[in-house]
Amino acid sequence: MVLAALIVAGTLGYSYLEGWPIIDSLYMTMVILSTVGLGTNRDLHESGKLFTIVLITFGAVTGGWAVNAIGHRILENQLGNYFGRRKMEKETKKLQGHYIVCGAGRVGRRVIKEFQLTGVPFVVVEKDPALAEKLSSEGALTIVGDAADEDVLQRAGVDKARGLITAISTDADNVYVTLTAKGLRPDLPVVTRAQEQSAQKKLLKAGATKVVMPYESAGQILAHSILRPNVTDFIQSVTTGHMAKLNLQLKEVAIAPHSRIAGSTLQQSEIRKKLGIIIVAMKKKDGAMGFDPAPESRIEVG
């Protein structure tokens, strides 16, 4: 705007003071402001010379200010990105036992929100730079890159991660991410989403621990919400932690080898008597799930 104002002022000034045509006045102004100097050896009146001095002064100041402002903006942006990346890399290296979220679409953002609410450590891998920057500004550790790239997953700390969720919108990408993650960490739990029923088997063969189909799950919730609304509300409240007022939460606990209650029965452990915990189900190492276990049910390691 300042530069445009100088061009207009210079053109009108030469036209008024020297009586030149508009095109000649504009030409003279552009030559002066561009510091080219070509064709400035024209005869000027005293007033025209003084006007030229003023125009050169303002032009030099404006040019210097513009270069400085643009350079500062570029430098600030580059340095900000550099130090932002350095800070993110340092914080990522400190992570231990965290989760990796691949893809920050609608499903991925919901996962991120749940992790933020529960306070678990996590890092996001997102291909879209604009979306990644938005997530970073909201406080989420974010790495820009393709989650199917081994280097990107290593930067995300896959060797120290507790689990990985791939919530990319296409099944093919989720298969590639699962294969890459399992190639780097065969023991890493991987939960992935699937669009099509046919992709579920492929993802399981690729090494996915669990495959979730959002549309199928949404359909089940809709059906249950109309058939058994109170049961659905209760389960959602417990699993999402909205019943904190009642001091009621649904959790899962793995029995470690050094656990005091390992090898004892539920009755011998006195879990309910001493801790007020209700045992809803017990899952064995072989995957067998027993609901409402009897008091003589034995607590096994794992």
Side-chain angles (χ1 to χ4, degrees):
M1 290 177 65
V2 174
L3 182 61
L6 280 175
I7 293 173
V8 172
T11 302
L12 296 178
Y14 283 120
S15 179
Y16 175 75
L17 296 173
E18 299 295 337
W20 295 343
I22 292 295
I23 188 66
D24 290 343
S25 301
L26 177 61
Y27 172 77
M28 186 67 171
T29 302
M30 296 303 296
V31 168
I32 293 291
L33 294 179
S34 64
T35 69
V36 174
L38 179 65
T40 57
N41 55 345
R42 304 186 62 168
D43 294 332
L44 297 171
H45 298 98
E46 293 295 327
S47 58
K49 292 178 180 179
L50 290 173
F51 180 75
T52 301
I53 292 172
V54 173
L55 188 62
I56 290 173
T57 302
F58 275 97
V61 171
T62 301
W65 169 76
V67 170
N68 177 69
I70 294 172
H72 178 72
R73 181 64 59 85
I74 293 174
L75 185 62
E76 184 181 56
N77 186 51
Q78 294 296 326
L79 286 176
N81 290 338
Y82 172 76
F83 285 116
R85 288 194 301 269
R86 292 285 294 174
K87 182 181 179 182
M88 182 272 300
E89 289 173 1
K90 287 182 179 179
E91 292 183 0
T92 303
K93 288 179 180 179
K94 294 178 184 177
L95 290 176
Q96 186 80 29
H98 61 289
Y99 295 93
I100 301 173
V101 181
C102 303
R106 287 178 294 179
V107 176
R109 286 198 297 271
R110 183 62 200 179
V111 174
I112 293 168
K113 184 177 180 181
E114 287 295 324
F115 282 174
Q116 288 174 331
L117 288 173
T118 52
V120 299
F122 68 95
V123 60
V124 183
V125 178
E126 172 55 45
K127 190 183 293 186
D128 185 358
L131 184 54
E133 185 177 351
K134 184 176 183 296
L135 290 171
S136 296
S137 65
E138 293 173 354
L141 281 177
T142 310
I143 295 176
V144 182
D146 187 353
D149 188 337
E150 290 186 359
D151 292 336
V152 174
L153 287 183
Q154 286 173 343
R155 283 166 51 202
V158 68
D159 56 322
K160 301 178 294 182
R162 182 177 297 179
L164 181 143
I165 294 177
T166 171
I168 305 174
S169 57
T170 62
D171 291 334
D173 287 338
N174 288 322
V175 170
Y176 290 136
V177 173
T178 302
L179 287 169
T180 305
K182 281 295 186 177
L184 294 171
R185 275 274 309 276
D187 63 324
L188 181 69
V190 175
V191 177
T192 177
R193 65 169 287 184
Q195 293 275 90
E196 304 294 337
Q197 188 75 38
S198 58
Q200 188 173 17
K201 292 182 179 179
K202 296 176 183 177
L203 286 162
L204 291 172
K205 285 183 179 179
T209 310
K210 187 176 181 62
V211 180
V212 177
M213 302 187 67
Y215 297 121
E216 185 175 314
S217 301
Q220 290 176 350
I221 292 173
L222 288 171
H224 292 164
S225 295
I226 197 71
L227 296 174
R228 295 179 290 275
N230 294 318
V231 174
T232 303
D233 290 344
F234 177 79
I235 293 174
Q236 287 185 334
S237 297
V238 174
T239 54
T240 55
H242 293 159
M243 299 193 73
K245 295 178 182 178
L246 301 178
N247 194 26
L248 182 62
Q249 294 182 356
L250 194 62
K251 300 287 185 180
E252 65 175 55
V253 179
I255 304 301
H258 59 270
S259 174
R260 179 183 59 82
I261 62 175
S264 63
T265 64
L266 281 178
Q267 190 172 22
Q268 291 170 344
S269 68
E270 298 184 323
I271 290 178
R272 181 162 189 175
K273 180 180 178 181
K274 292 182 176 180
L275 302 176
I277 294 175
I278 302 171
I279 305 299
V280 179
M282 294 177 67
K283 186 175 182 180
K284 304 295 183 179
K285 275 187 175 182
D286 59 4
M289 182 82 76
F291 293 95
D292 191 20
E296 60 272 13
S297 298
R298 194 162 298 279
I299 302 171
E300 299 176 3
V301 173

